[in-house]
Amino acid sequence: MNEIAIKYNKLSNKRRQEVNDFLDFLLTRQKKESKIHLSSYRKKILAVSTWNDEDCKQFEENQKIFKQWNIQEW
């Protein structure tokens, strides 16, 4: 750890800021990775809605109506 501090102190202010920014980036990634849990992912997947045939009929009817539209010519 002491070796890192010595190297850090040799850096210019601009380079120190780059190191600090990179460390912040790594820390945010670490926080995000630790938040991902398989059980919560499973709950999200199970909460995804499913459509039955009756729901899909609405789309099929709208598609038929849409195909009947006449495009205006200029």
Side-chain angles (χ1 to χ4, degrees):
M1 188 67 178
N2 192 24
E3 185 178 330
I4 294 173
I6 292 170
K7 290 179 182 180
Y8 181 82
N9 289 331
K10 289 182 181 180
L11 294 172
S12 67
N13 286 338
K14 182 179 178 182
R15 299 296 181 209
R16 286 182 188 176
Q17 186 59 46
E18 287 181 24
V19 170
N20 290 337
D21 291 342
F22 184 67
L23 288 172
D24 289 340
F25 168 73
L26 290 177
L27 288 171
T28 57
R29 283 187 59 194
Q30 182 175 336
K31 288 177 185 175
K32 288 179 183 178
E33 290 171 359
S34 65
K35 288 183 180 179
I36 298 173
H37 297 291
L38 191 57
S39 61
S40 64
Y41 177 74
R42 285 181 183 155
K43 287 179 185 177
K44 287 181 183 179
I45 293 296
L46 291 173
V48 173
S49 66
T50 56
W51 294 348
N52 58 25
D53 290 338
E54 189 64 33
D55 297 330
C56 293
K57 284 183 184 178
Q58 293 282 332
F59 290 103
E60 292 169 2
E61 290 173 14
N62 287 335
Q63 184 180 20
K64 290 176 186 175
I65 294 170
F66 186 75
K67 286 182 179 179
Q68 292 175 359
W69 284 359
N70 292 326
I71 300 173
Q72 293 182 350
E73 293 186 25
W74 293 81

